[in-house]
Structure formats: C-alpha cells, structure tokens
C-alpha cells in the first residue's frame, strides 16, 4: 500500500516539473529561475521513484525509514526558501541565515528519525527551534528588509511564503504523531499525509511561482504598436 502513495508522489512531482520547463522552452530566459523551480519538483520526483523501488530504506527500531526522503528535503527546501529570498531582493546575509536555519531543521529532523531512545525528542526540539527561527526570517526579517523589484514580486512572495509556512508547520506535527515520535499514526497513514503535503507544498509552490512570473513577463512586455 505504501508503494501506491510513493507512485502518486512520483506522478504529482513529475507533473509539477512540467510548468517551469515548458515556460523556459517558450521564453529561453531566466534559466536559473526556472532551473531552480524545476529542481524543487524534479528532485522530489526522483526521490519518490527511488522510494517506490525501495532504494534507501533502512530499518530503525523495527520501523522503516526512507533516507531518500530526507535527502530530498535537504536539497529542495533550500531551493524554495532561496527563491523566496530572491523575490524579496534579500541580502547575502539573509540568504546565509535562511540556509543555516533550514539545514538545522532538516538535519535535526533526520537525526531524530534515525535515532532511537528519548534523545530523539531532544533532536526534534532542536529542529523545531530552528524552524521557529526560519519562520521568523520569513515573516519578520525578510519583509522588513525587502527590496521588491515591483508589486508583482511582492504579491508572489506573500502567496508563496504563506503557502510554505502553513504547510511546513504541519510536518513537525506529523512527525510527532508518527512512528518515530509518539507512534499514534500508522506508517501507511503517515506516508499518505506526507505525500499529500509534499505534492501541495512543492507542486503548488512551483505552479504559482511560474504563473506569477508569466503574468509579470506579460505586464512588462512593451505594448505592440498598431500597424500604419
């Protein structure tokens, strides 16, 4: 049953990779931006394909941990927060702070999942503290110091940031209820919930980002002059 959810995740992420690739082929510009967005869902699609095949699965305290999932998050979440920082025209210092806090969150969460015994909750607390710092950067620091290029970038930032903060806040709750935490959620149920959160948080993020850039490009394009 768990392979079914991985297959759904693979399909969702693969479909989510198409909009940035399609937009890049159409415009042949903003290569780094579209590569970043395609990387978010593209890396996740590869991760789900590997999990579907059973690659990277390890047994920890009679429960199966898919290490590939955490590698996926370690690679894709920085791309997402850095894209948000790009929209806000953030400084290198803020970029560094975002990366550092994000790595603490994912690193501590990975360690908490792979460790047995009560110390896993200490690692979970460390990751949660890092997440509070990450949210503070996104909700307070970046908006306060932002230098948005235009109102469209501002609106895009708000949409994507709010989507990210709301959905990412659910991940710690799922972990706490899941097999690695309090064990109140079955592994198959946790996989279903995580796949849903992944597809929405990444796929919708990429779709909205591409759509907003397409609208922005159309707004900035010079109006065609009528023929004589």
């Amino acid at each position: 049953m768990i392979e079914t959810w991985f297959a759904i995740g693979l399909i969702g992420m693969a479909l989510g990779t198409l909009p940035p690739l399609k937009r890049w082929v159409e415009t042949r510009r903003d290569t780094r931006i579209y590569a970043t967005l395609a990387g978010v869902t593209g890396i996740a699609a590869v991760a789900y394909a590997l999990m579907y095949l059973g690659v990277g699965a390890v047994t920890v305290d009679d429960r199966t941990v898919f290490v590939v999932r955490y590698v996926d998050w370690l690679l894709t979440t920085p791309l997402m927060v850095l894209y948000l920082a790009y929209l806000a025209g953030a400084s290198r210092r803020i970029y560094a702070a975002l990366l550092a806090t994000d790595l603490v969150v994912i690193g501590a969460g990975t360690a908490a999942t792979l460790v047995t015994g009560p110390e896993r909750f200490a690692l979970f607390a460390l990751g949660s503290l890092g997440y509070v710092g990450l949210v503070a950067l996104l909700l307070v620091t970046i908006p306060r110091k932002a230098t948005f290029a235009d109102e469209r970038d501002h609106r895009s930032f708000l949409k994507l940031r709010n989507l990210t903060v709301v959905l990412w806040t659910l991940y710690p709750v799922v972990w706490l209820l899941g097999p690695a935490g309090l064990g109140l959620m079955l592994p198959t149920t946790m996989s279903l919930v995580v796949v849903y959160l992944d597809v929405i948080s990444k796929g919708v993020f990429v779709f909205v980002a591409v759509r907003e850039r397409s609208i922005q490009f159309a707004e900035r394009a010079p109006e065609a002059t009528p023929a004589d």
Side-chain angles (χ1 to χ4, degrees), residues 114-163:
L114 295 174
V115 167
T116 60
E119 57 266 33
R120 71 188 188 277
F121 291 105
L123 290 166
F124 172 76
L126 175 62
S128 299
L129 184 61
Y131 182 64
V132 170
L134 181 62
V135 170
L137 285 169
L138 293 174
L139 294 181
V140 180
T141 305
I142 290 182
R144 183 183 299 166
K145 299 183 178 182
T147 56
F148 296 105
D150 55 31
E151 185 57 29
R152 174 60 60 180
D153 275 351
H154 187 198
R155 289 197 295 268
S156 299
F157 171 82
L158 292 178
K159 289 179 182 179
L160 295 173
R161 182 205 61 186
N162 294 343
L163 173 72

Side-chain angles (χ1 to χ4, degrees), residues 15-102:
L15 292 176
T17 308
L18 296 179
L21 294 179
K22 178 177 181 294
R23 185 61 185 165
W24 178 76
V25 170
E26 291 173 346
T27 62
R28 293 292 177 176
R29 56 180 291 167
D30 296 334
T31 302
R32 290 183 180 179
I33 293 173
Y34 291 123
T36 297
L37 295 173
V40 171
T41 46
I43 292 172
V46 172
Y48 272 109
L50 292 175
M51 287 189 286
Y52 177 79
L53 296 173
V55 177
V58 299
T59 301
V60 178
D61 197 20
D62 295 328
R63 52 188 170 81
T64 302
V65 176
F66 293 90
V67 179
V68 175
R69 168 175 285 148
Y70 294 91
V71 175
D72 162 14
W73 292 345
L74 191 64
L75 296 175
T76 57
T77 56
L79 295 179
M80 296 170 72
V81 295
L82 290 181
Y83 183 75
L84 290 173
Y86 161 77
L87 288 176
S91 65
R92 290 184 179 180
R93 180 175 297 181
I94 292 179
Y95 272 92
L98 283 169
L99 279 177
T101 52
D102 185 67

Side-chain angles (χ1 to χ4, degrees), residues 153-205:
D153 275 351
H154 187 198
R155 289 197 295 268
S156 299
F157 171 82
L158 292 178
K159 289 179 182 179
L160 295 173
R161 182 205 61 186
N162 294 343
L163 173 72
T164 299
V165 169
V166 169
L167 292 177
W168 282 12
T169 301
L170 298 176
Y171 282 91
V173 178
V174 174
W175 186 94
L176 192 60
L177 296 177
L182 300 176
L184 301 177
M185 185 182 294
L186 294 175
T188 52
T189 304
M190 181 177 176
S191 294
L192 167 62
V193 174
V194 171
V195 168
Y196 176 79
L197 289 176
D198 271 357
V199 172
I200 299 299
S201 63
K202 292 185 176 74
V204 174
F205 182 100

